[in-house]
């Protein structure tokens, strides 16, 4: 993990780039060809934009699906025939009344695809893929990733994965509808439902391609961070963003192959007649006598061995982004830098020891469950350390209440409120009562879904000038923040109450349950809130794409007066990032308001005689 000097890096990446701002990194063709520059680019900054915009496309698709099934839950008697041009045969039309309703099978397909898309395509690839690519070379002082070619492939495997998943939406039998966790036997037996036919096969193929993308990206991120830091960039001089991306990539490399093995075994069971996850199964009264010896619970172990680290694959990059944004816009050094680093490392280790807290309902031995309860409660400690340090960072700071800071503070709020409900679900005795209710849905949407989105939004608003050389509109940004924050609590606050009242999740309709009739107005309220929040995200998209071309231009290299290396590169930097020598690092990344006469000191400024590096 020795530091690479400027000379070594320049030998690797080509030192003399003349007056082309490093755009000749791949020769004149790279400079002139639209395809090489924008489609099959090997520039990490362009690949970051590809991940971001593809993730935004999938976010619209996934959120749109949630609006459709929320309409079913909030207004089960409403006429949905107006959706037939979009959804076709998935809207059932009553021949006598002409009233359209959502097909029950398609309801479950929507819920399944919504979860799959948001968790994997948006919050994994869209968040980690975007900011790992954008920031790792810029913040550690590298020309590009260790392997730009692999980096390009990581995006295109993600894109191909999305194409396969998108194609499954147009099958006659519909996309997979057995839940985003794909538990056997629904995922194993094509005769179980229409959604378990070809749609499930494409779902599996898509996610295997997605795993390849994650592994290619993760190998690149780790190698780049460990081997390509500029001179002086020791591990404890790296920004917390880089620590978060490094640990996220390590978690991904260790956990995604496990679920890939589960996916392959499901494919074997479906196509080759094996029985890894099936045993004495009956379908429609028919015994599948040849399917014996497997265990559906085994798949749950394989899935959640990825599934819980996946929570931190999603939330750790958001934590790193929020740490950076809070420090810069509070004009204060991050509180407890090393404690933040060690808490990230602790979360990484503990995330692999808690997977079975998703499985308390499987009939596991209570003594085994106690072990997972213990580790689940222990993992709350490093998370609490981070929350304490974020609050201490902004306490007494000279806060700039701009959009990036608002979203970062919103992340802390959501992480606290969502994390507190996790303490209940981490207790096996309480989880058994709450597990199949809306309490679980509310918990993981707040802490993993909405909070992670807030981290992503904070990063987009903060580094938008670094990506496009312009600023997003502040007024629209603040409308976006307040509307999304209030709307998120309006959706998921009442949902906690529904769960505590015993309302089960994954139900298409509650018409036959008189006990749940009292919650009709609450469901309507949550549905209206969800529609409003969705429309506010459209406002964000308008702001985003308008600002790329018409936003206020960035006139200085360091508009936020930050200390990290990405703001030392020219505005709209070419491939290679720095036109001359790569800058050296002399100090930690959070020298903000530590001196009476200076508001900030960049990492590139040498320490004065007798000065102590703030990180040590």
């Amino acid at each position: 993990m020795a530091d690479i000097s400027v000379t070594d890096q320049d030998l690797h990446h080509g030192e003399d780039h003349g007056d082309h701002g490093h755009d000749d990194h791949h020769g004149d063709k790279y400079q002139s060809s639209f395809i090489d520059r924008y489609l099959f680019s090997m520039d990490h900054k362009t690949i970051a934009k590809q991940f971001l915009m593809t993730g935004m496309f999938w976010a619209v698709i996934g959120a749109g699906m949630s609006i459709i099934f929320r309409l079913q839950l909030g207004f089960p008697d409403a006429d949905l025939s107006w959706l037939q041009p979009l959804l076709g045969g998935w809207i059932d039309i009553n021949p006598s009344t002409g009233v359209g309703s959502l097909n029950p099978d398609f309801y479950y397909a929507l819920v399944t695809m919504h979860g799959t898309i948001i968790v994997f395509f948006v919050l994994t690839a869209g968040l980690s893929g975007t900011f790992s690519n954008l920031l790792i070379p810029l913040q550690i002082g590298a020309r590009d990733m260790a392997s730009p070619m692999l980096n390009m492939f990581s995006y295109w495997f993600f894109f191909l994965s999305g194409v396969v998943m998108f194609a499954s939406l147009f099958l006659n039998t519909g996309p997979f509808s057995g839940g985003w966790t794909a538990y056997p036997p629904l995922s194993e037996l094509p005769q179980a439902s229409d959604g378990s036919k070809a749609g499930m096969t494409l779902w599996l193929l898509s996610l295997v391609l997605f795993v390849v993308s994650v592994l290619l990206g993760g190998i690149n991120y780790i190698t780049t961070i460990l081997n390509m830091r500029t001179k002086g960039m020791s591990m404890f001089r790296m920004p917390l963003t880089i620590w978060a991306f490094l640990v996220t990539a390590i978690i991904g490399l260790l956990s995604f192959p496990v679920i890939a093995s589960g996916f392959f075994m499901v494919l074997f069971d479906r196509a080759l007649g094996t029985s890894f996850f099936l045993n004495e199964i009956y379908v429609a009264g028919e015994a599948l006598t040849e399917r014996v010896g497997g265990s559906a619970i085994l798949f749950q172990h394989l899935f959640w061995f990825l599934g819980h680290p996946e929570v931190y694959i999603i939330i750790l990059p958001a934590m790193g982004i929020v740490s950076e944004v809070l420090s810069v816009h509070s004009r204060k050094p991050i509180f407890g830098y090393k404690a933040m680093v060690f808490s990230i490392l602790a979360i990484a280790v503990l995330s692999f020891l808690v997977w079975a807290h998703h499985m308390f309902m499987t009939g596991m031995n209570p003594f085994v469950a106690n072990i997972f309860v213990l580790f689940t409660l222990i993992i709350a400690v490093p998370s609490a350390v981070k929350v304490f340090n974020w609050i201490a960072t902004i306490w007494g700071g000279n806060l700039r209440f701009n959009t990036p800071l608002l979203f970062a503070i919103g992340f802390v709020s959501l992480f606290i409120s969502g994390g507190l409900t996790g303490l209940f679900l981490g207790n096996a005795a309480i989880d058994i009562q709450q597990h199949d209710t809306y309490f679980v849905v509310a918990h993981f949407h707040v802490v993993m879904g909405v909070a992670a989105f807030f981290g992503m939004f904070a990063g987009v608003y903060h580094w938008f000038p670094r990506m496009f050389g312009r600023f997003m509109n502040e007024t629209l940004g603040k409308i976006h923040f307040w509307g999304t924050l209030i709307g998120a609590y309006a959706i998921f606050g009442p949902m906690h109450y529904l769960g505590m009242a015993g309302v089960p999740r994954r139900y298409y309709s509650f018409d036959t349950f008189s006990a749940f009739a009292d919650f009709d107005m609450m469901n309507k309220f949550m549905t209206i809130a969800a529609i409003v929040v969705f429309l506010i995200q459209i406002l964000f998209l308008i702001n985003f794409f308008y600002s790329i071309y018409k936003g206020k231009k960035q006139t200085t290299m360091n508009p936020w007066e930050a200390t990290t290396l990405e703001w030392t590169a020219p505005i709209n930097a070419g491939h290679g990032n720095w036109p001359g020598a790569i800058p050296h690092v002399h100090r930690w990344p959070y020298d903000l308001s530590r001196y009476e006469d200076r508001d900030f000191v960049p990492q590139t400024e040498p320490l004065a005689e007798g000065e102590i590096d703030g990180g040590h």
Side-chain angles (χ1 to χ4, degrees), residues 112-138:
T112 300
M113 299 306 291
H114 165 76
T116 304
I117 287 167
I118 298 297
V119 169
F120 294 114
F121 292 172
V122 182
L123 295 178
T124 302
L127 176 52
S128 185
T130 296
F131 291 103
S132 295
N133 271 295
L134 176 68
L135 295 177
I136 286 174
L138 282 167

PDB file of all heavy atoms in Angstrom, residues 112-138:
ATOM      1  N   THR A 112     -42.498  -6.772  -6.790  1.00  0.00           N
ATOM      2  CA  THR A 112     -41.217  -7.469  -6.976  1.00  0.00           C
ATOM      3  C   THR A 112     -40.229  -6.625  -7.763  1.00  0.00           C
ATOM      4  O   THR A 112     -39.064  -6.464  -7.369  1.00  0.00           O
ATOM      5  CB  THR A 112     -41.452  -8.805  -7.703  1.00  0.00           C
ATOM      6  OG1 THR A 112     -42.323  -9.618  -6.926  1.00  0.00           O
ATOM      7  CG2 THR A 112     -40.147  -9.537  -7.948  1.00  0.00           C
ATOM      8  N   MET A 113     -40.671  -6.100  -8.899  1.00  0.00           N
ATOM      9  CA  MET A 113     -39.770  -5.328  -9.755  1.00  0.00           C
ATOM     10  C   MET A 113     -39.378  -4.008  -9.101  1.00  0.00           C
ATOM     11  O   MET A 113     -38.242  -3.541  -9.262  1.00  0.00           O
ATOM     12  CB  MET A 113     -40.424  -5.087 -11.114  1.00  0.00           C
ATOM     13  CG  MET A 113     -40.758  -6.349 -11.888  1.00  0.00           C
ATOM     14  SD  MET A 113     -39.332  -7.435 -12.109  1.00  0.00           S
ATOM     15  CE  MET A 113     -38.361  -6.469 -13.242  1.00  0.00           C
ATOM     16  N   HIS A 114     -40.298  -3.393  -8.359  1.00  0.00           N
ATOM     17  CA  HIS A 114     -39.975  -2.154  -7.646  1.00  0.00           C
ATOM     18  C   HIS A 114     -38.813  -2.391  -6.686  1.00  0.00           C
ATOM     19  O   HIS A 114     -37.835  -1.631  -6.672  1.00  0.00           O
ATOM     20  CB  HIS A 114     -41.208  -1.660  -6.883  1.00  0.00           C
ATOM     21  CG  HIS A 114     -40.913  -0.620  -5.842  1.00  0.00           C
ATOM     22  ND1 HIS A 114     -40.648   0.694  -6.154  1.00  0.00           N
ATOM     23  CD2 HIS A 114     -40.828  -0.707  -4.483  1.00  0.00           C
ATOM     24  CE1 HIS A 114     -40.417   1.382  -5.037  1.00  0.00           C
ATOM     25  NE2 HIS A 114     -40.527   0.549  -4.014  1.00  0.00           N
ATOM     26  N   GLY A 115     -38.913  -3.451  -5.879  1.00  0.00           N
ATOM     27  CA  GLY A 115     -37.843  -3.746  -4.924  1.00  0.00           C
ATOM     28  C   GLY A 115     -36.525  -4.052  -5.613  1.00  0.00           C
ATOM     29  O   GLY A 115     -35.469  -3.536  -5.228  1.00  0.00           O
ATOM     30  N   THR A 116     -36.575  -4.888  -6.638  1.00  0.00           N
ATOM     31  CA  THR A 116     -35.358  -5.264  -7.361  1.00  0.00           C
ATOM     32  C   THR A 116     -34.682  -4.052  -7.976  1.00  0.00           C
ATOM     33  O   THR A 116     -33.466  -3.848  -7.844  1.00  0.00           O
ATOM     34  CB  THR A 116     -35.696  -6.276  -8.471  1.00  0.00           C
ATOM     35  OG1 THR A 116     -36.359  -7.413  -7.896  1.00  0.00           O
ATOM     36  CG2 THR A 116     -34.439  -6.720  -9.196  1.00  0.00           C
ATOM     37  N   ILE A 117     -35.456  -3.225  -8.647  1.00  0.00           N
ATOM     38  CA  ILE A 117     -34.911  -2.070  -9.369  1.00  0.00           C
ATOM     39  C   ILE A 117     -34.302  -1.054  -8.409  1.00  0.00           C
ATOM     40  O   ILE A 117     -33.177  -0.582  -8.600  1.00  0.00           O
ATOM     41  CB  ILE A 117     -36.013  -1.426 -10.235  1.00  0.00           C
ATOM     42  CG1 ILE A 117     -36.326  -2.317 -11.442  1.00  0.00           C
ATOM     43  CG2 ILE A 117     -35.615  -0.024 -10.693  1.00  0.00           C
ATOM     44  CD1 ILE A 117     -37.598  -1.933 -12.178  1.00  0.00           C
ATOM     45  N   ILE A 118     -35.034  -0.710  -7.358  1.00  0.00           N
ATOM     46  CA  ILE A 118     -34.549   0.331  -6.454  1.00  0.00           C
ATOM     47  C   ILE A 118     -33.323  -0.153  -5.682  1.00  0.00           C
ATOM     48  O   ILE A 118     -32.327   0.574  -5.552  1.00  0.00           O
ATOM     49  CB  ILE A 118     -35.655   0.789  -5.483  1.00  0.00           C
ATOM     50  CG1 ILE A 118     -36.844   1.395  -6.251  1.00  0.00           C
ATOM     51  CG2 ILE A 118     -35.092   1.798  -4.490  1.00  0.00           C
ATOM     52  CD1 ILE A 118     -36.509   2.648  -7.036  1.00  0.00           C
ATOM     53  N   VAL A 119     -33.357  -1.381  -5.170  1.00  0.00           N
ATOM     54  CA  VAL A 119     -32.237  -1.877  -4.362  1.00  0.00           C
ATOM     55  C   VAL A 119     -30.977  -2.050  -5.196  1.00  0.00           C
ATOM     56  O   VAL A 119     -29.887  -1.589  -4.806  1.00  0.00           O
ATOM     57  CB  VAL A 119     -32.615  -3.205  -3.675  1.00  0.00           C
ATOM     58  CG1 VAL A 119     -31.380  -3.871  -3.065  1.00  0.00           C
ATOM     59  CG2 VAL A 119     -33.655  -2.964  -2.590  1.00  0.00           C
ATOM     60  N   PHE A 120     -31.087  -2.704  -6.338  1.00  0.00           N
ATOM     61  CA  PHE A 120     -29.884  -3.044  -7.104  1.00  0.00           C
ATOM     62  C   PHE A 120     -29.525  -1.964  -8.137  1.00  0.00           C
ATOM     63  O   PHE A 120     -28.402  -1.454  -8.151  1.00  0.00           O
ATOM     64  CB  PHE A 120     -30.055  -4.403  -7.783  1.00  0.00           C
ATOM     65  CG  PHE A 120     -30.140  -5.549  -6.816  1.00  0.00           C
ATOM     66  CD1 PHE A 120     -31.304  -6.289  -6.687  1.00  0.00           C
ATOM     67  CD2 PHE A 120     -29.061  -5.878  -6.008  1.00  0.00           C
ATOM     68  CE1 PHE A 120     -31.385  -7.342  -5.783  1.00  0.00           C
ATOM     69  CE2 PHE A 120     -29.123  -6.928  -5.102  1.00  0.00           C
ATOM     70  CZ  PHE A 120     -30.296  -7.661  -4.990  1.00  0.00           C
ATOM     71  N   PHE A 121     -30.469  -1.614  -8.994  1.00  0.00           N
ATOM     72  CA  PHE A 121     -30.125  -0.734 -10.109  1.00  0.00           C
ATOM     73  C   PHE A 121     -29.952   0.729  -9.700  1.00  0.00           C
ATOM     74  O   PHE A 121     -29.182   1.456 -10.312  1.00  0.00           O
ATOM     75  CB  PHE A 121     -31.190  -0.831 -11.211  1.00  0.00           C
ATOM     76  CG  PHE A 121     -31.217  -2.156 -11.917  1.00  0.00           C
ATOM     77  CD1 PHE A 121     -32.220  -2.459 -12.819  1.00  0.00           C
ATOM     78  CD2 PHE A 121     -30.243  -3.113 -11.675  1.00  0.00           C
ATOM     79  CE1 PHE A 121     -32.252  -3.676 -13.477  1.00  0.00           C
ATOM     80  CE2 PHE A 121     -30.268  -4.343 -12.319  1.00  0.00           C
ATOM     81  CZ  PHE A 121     -31.271  -4.627 -13.224  1.00  0.00           C
ATOM     82  N   VAL A 122     -30.689   1.162  -8.680  1.00  0.00           N
ATOM     83  CA  VAL A 122     -30.633   2.583  -8.294  1.00  0.00           C
ATOM     84  C   VAL A 122     -29.689   2.791  -7.114  1.00  0.00           C
ATOM     85  O   VAL A 122     -28.715   3.546  -7.208  1.00  0.00           O
ATOM     86  CB  VAL A 122     -32.041   3.124  -7.961  1.00  0.00           C
ATOM     87  CG1 VAL A 122     -31.964   4.606  -7.617  1.00  0.00           C
ATOM     88  CG2 VAL A 122     -32.985   2.906  -9.134  1.00  0.00           C
ATOM     89  N   LEU A 123     -29.950   2.131  -5.991  1.00  0.00           N
ATOM     90  CA  LEU A 123     -29.199   2.426  -4.770  1.00  0.00           C
ATOM     91  C   LEU A 123     -27.865   1.700  -4.690  1.00  0.00           C
ATOM     92  O   LEU A 123     -27.012   2.073  -3.868  1.00  0.00           O
ATOM     93  CB  LEU A 123     -30.053   2.097  -3.543  1.00  0.00           C
ATOM     94  CG  LEU A 123     -31.298   2.972  -3.381  1.00  0.00           C
ATOM     95  CD1 LEU A 123     -32.109   2.538  -2.168  1.00  0.00           C
ATOM     96  CD2 LEU A 123     -30.923   4.452  -3.259  1.00  0.00           C
ATOM     97  N   THR A 124     -27.644   0.679  -5.498  1.00  0.00           N
ATOM     98  CA  THR A 124     -26.321   0.043  -5.546  1.00  0.00           C
ATOM     99  C   THR A 124     -25.515   0.609  -6.708  1.00  0.00           C
ATOM    100  O   THR A 124     -24.495   1.258  -6.508  1.00  0.00           O
ATOM    101  CB  THR A 124     -26.442  -1.482  -5.671  1.00  0.00           C
ATOM    102  OG1 THR A 124     -27.187  -1.990  -4.558  1.00  0.00           O
ATOM    103  CG2 THR A 124     -25.066  -2.136  -5.676  1.00  0.00           C
ATOM    104  N   ALA A 125     -25.987   0.394  -7.932  1.00  0.00           N
ATOM    105  CA  ALA A 125     -25.230   0.871  -9.099  1.00  0.00           C
ATOM    106  C   ALA A 125     -25.310   2.387  -9.239  1.00  0.00           C
ATOM    107  O   ALA A 125     -24.299   3.051  -9.489  1.00  0.00           O
ATOM    108  CB  ALA A 125     -25.759   0.196 -10.362  1.00  0.00           C
ATOM    109  N   GLY A 126     -26.507   2.947  -9.073  1.00  0.00           N
ATOM    110  CA  GLY A 126     -26.670   4.377  -9.271  1.00  0.00           C
ATOM    111  C   GLY A 126     -25.923   5.211  -8.249  1.00  0.00           C
ATOM    112  O   GLY A 126     -25.333   6.239  -8.580  1.00  0.00           O
ATOM    113  N   LEU A 127     -25.893   4.764  -6.995  1.00  0.00           N
ATOM    114  CA  LEU A 127     -25.230   5.530  -5.935  1.00  0.00           C
ATOM    115  C   LEU A 127     -23.735   5.228  -5.888  1.00  0.00           C
ATOM    116  O   LEU A 127     -22.901   6.110  -6.086  1.00  0.00           O
ATOM    117  CB  LEU A 127     -25.888   5.216  -4.589  1.00  0.00           C
ATOM    118  CG  LEU A 127     -25.300   5.845  -3.324  1.00  0.00           C
ATOM    119  CD1 LEU A 127     -25.152   7.352  -3.466  1.00  0.00           C
ATOM    120  CD2 LEU A 127     -26.159   5.516  -2.111  1.00  0.00           C
ATOM    121  N   SER A 128     -23.390   3.972  -5.647  1.00  0.00           N
ATOM    122  CA  SER A 128     -21.979   3.616  -5.514  1.00  0.00           C
ATOM    123  C   SER A 128     -21.244   3.758  -6.843  1.00  0.00           C
ATOM    124  O   SER A 128     -20.127   4.281  -6.896  1.00  0.00           O
ATOM    125  CB  SER A 128     -21.852   2.178  -4.987  1.00  0.00           C
ATOM    126  OG  SER A 128     -20.504   1.853  -4.731  1.00  0.00           O
ATOM    127  N   GLY A 129     -21.873   3.316  -7.940  1.00  0.00           N
ATOM    128  CA  GLY A 129     -21.218   3.409  -9.243  1.00  0.00           C
ATOM    129  C   GLY A 129     -20.922   4.835  -9.647  1.00  0.00           C
ATOM    130  O   GLY A 129     -19.860   5.139 -10.196  1.00  0.00           O
ATOM    131  N   THR A 130     -21.841   5.732  -9.359  1.00  0.00           N
ATOM    132  CA  THR A 130     -21.653   7.138  -9.725  1.00  0.00           C
ATOM    133  C   THR A 130     -20.518   7.769  -8.942  1.00  0.00           C
ATOM    134  O   THR A 130     -19.553   8.297  -9.515  1.00  0.00           O
ATOM    135  CB  THR A 130     -22.941   7.938  -9.465  1.00  0.00           C
ATOM    136  OG1 THR A 130     -23.977   7.442 -10.310  1.00  0.00           O
ATOM    137  CG2 THR A 130     -22.727   9.421  -9.741  1.00  0.00           C
ATOM    138  N   PHE A 131     -20.611   7.732  -7.622  1.00  0.00           N
ATOM    139  CA  PHE A 131     -19.679   8.521  -6.816  1.00  0.00           C
ATOM    140  C   PHE A 131     -18.336   7.828  -6.616  1.00  0.00           C
ATOM    141  O   PHE A 131     -17.310   8.505  -6.462  1.00  0.00           O
ATOM    142  CB  PHE A 131     -20.336   8.894  -5.487  1.00  0.00           C
ATOM    143  CG  PHE A 131     -21.451   9.884  -5.674  1.00  0.00           C
ATOM    144  CD1 PHE A 131     -22.775   9.487  -5.631  1.00  0.00           C
ATOM    145  CD2 PHE A 131     -21.169  11.214  -5.949  1.00  0.00           C
ATOM    146  CE1 PHE A 131     -23.799  10.409  -5.833  1.00  0.00           C
ATOM    147  CE2 PHE A 131     -22.181  12.135  -6.156  1.00  0.00           C
ATOM    148  CZ  PHE A 131     -23.498  11.736  -6.097  1.00  0.00           C
ATOM    149  N   SER A 132     -18.296   6.493  -6.635  1.00  0.00           N
ATOM    150  CA  SER A 132     -16.998   5.816  -6.611  1.00  0.00           C
ATOM    151  C   SER A 132     -16.210   6.176  -7.862  1.00  0.00           C
ATOM    152  O   SER A 132     -15.012   6.467  -7.802  1.00  0.00           O
ATOM    153  CB  SER A 132     -17.176   4.296  -6.504  1.00  0.00           C
ATOM    154  OG  SER A 132     -17.759   3.931  -5.277  1.00  0.00           O
ATOM    155  N   ASN A 133     -16.870   6.146  -8.996  1.00  0.00           N
ATOM    156  CA  ASN A 133     -16.182   6.481 -10.249  1.00  0.00           C
ATOM    157  C   ASN A 133     -15.760   7.932 -10.300  1.00  0.00           C
ATOM    158  O   ASN A 133     -14.650   8.265 -10.720  1.00  0.00           O
ATOM    159  CB  ASN A 133     -17.087   6.161 -11.444  1.00  0.00           C
ATOM    160  CG  ASN A 133     -16.907   4.748 -11.928  1.00  0.00           C
ATOM    161  OD1 ASN A 133     -15.836   4.389 -12.411  1.00  0.00           O
ATOM    162  ND2 ASN A 133     -17.927   3.926 -11.769  1.00  0.00           N
ATOM    163  N   LEU A 134     -16.661   8.819  -9.884  1.00  0.00           N
ATOM    164  CA  LEU A 134     -16.342  10.242  -9.972  1.00  0.00           C
ATOM    165  C   LEU A 134     -15.217  10.635  -9.026  1.00  0.00           C
ATOM    166  O   LEU A 134     -14.283  11.349  -9.413  1.00  0.00           O
ATOM    167  CB  LEU A 134     -17.594  11.063  -9.645  1.00  0.00           C
ATOM    168  CG  LEU A 134     -17.395  12.595  -9.612  1.00  0.00           C
ATOM    169  CD1 LEU A 134     -17.110  13.124 -11.000  1.00  0.00           C
ATOM    170  CD2 LEU A 134     -18.605  13.281  -8.991  1.00  0.00           C
ATOM    171  N   LEU A 135     -15.272  10.159  -7.776  1.00  0.00           N
ATOM    172  CA  LEU A 135     -14.442  10.740  -6.726  1.00  0.00           C
ATOM    173  C   LEU A 135     -13.152   9.998  -6.429  1.00  0.00           C
ATOM    174  O   LEU A 135     -12.178  10.612  -5.976  1.00  0.00           O
ATOM    175  CB  LEU A 135     -15.259  10.860  -5.435  1.00  0.00           C
ATOM    176  CG  LEU A 135     -16.447  11.823  -5.498  1.00  0.00           C
ATOM    177  CD1 LEU A 135     -17.218  11.801  -4.191  1.00  0.00           C
ATOM    178  CD2 LEU A 135     -15.981  13.240  -5.808  1.00  0.00           C
ATOM    179  N   ILE A 136     -13.106   8.689  -6.643  1.00  0.00           N
ATOM    180  CA  ILE A 136     -11.903   7.963  -6.219  1.00  0.00           C
ATOM    181  C   ILE A 136     -10.638   8.518  -6.887  1.00  0.00           C
ATOM    182  O   ILE A 136      -9.702   8.934  -6.195  1.00  0.00           O
ATOM    183  CB  ILE A 136     -12.062   6.446  -6.434  1.00  0.00           C
ATOM    184  CG1 ILE A 136     -13.015   5.865  -5.380  1.00  0.00           C
ATOM    185  CG2 ILE A 136     -10.711   5.735  -6.342  1.00  0.00           C
ATOM    186  CD1 ILE A 136     -13.361   4.401  -5.575  1.00  0.00           C
ATOM    187  N   PRO A 137     -10.553   8.582  -8.225  1.00  0.00           N
ATOM    188  CA  PRO A 137      -9.317   9.129  -8.798  1.00  0.00           C
ATOM    189  C   PRO A 137      -9.094  10.603  -8.428  1.00  0.00           C
ATOM    190  O   PRO A 137      -7.966  11.004  -8.132  1.00  0.00           O
ATOM    191  CB  PRO A 137      -9.529   8.956 -10.314  1.00  0.00           C
ATOM    192  CG  PRO A 137     -10.539   7.873 -10.441  1.00  0.00           C
ATOM    193  CD  PRO A 137     -11.456   8.062  -9.262  1.00  0.00           C
ATOM    194  N   LEU A 138     -10.162  11.389  -8.420  1.00  0.00           N
ATOM    195  CA  LEU A 138     -10.001  12.820  -8.149  1.00  0.00           C
ATOM    196  C   LEU A 138      -9.567  13.089  -6.714  1.00  0.00           C
ATOM    197  O   LEU A 138      -8.764  13.987  -6.454  1.00  0.00           O
ATOM    198  CB  LEU A 138     -11.311  13.553  -8.444  1.00  0.00           C
ATOM    199  CG  LEU A 138     -11.622  13.828  -9.915  1.00  0.00           C
ATOM    200  CD1 LEU A 138     -13.069  14.264 -10.082  1.00  0.00           C
ATOM    201  CD2 LEU A 138     -10.689  14.891 -10.489  1.00  0.00           C
TER     202      LEU A 138
END
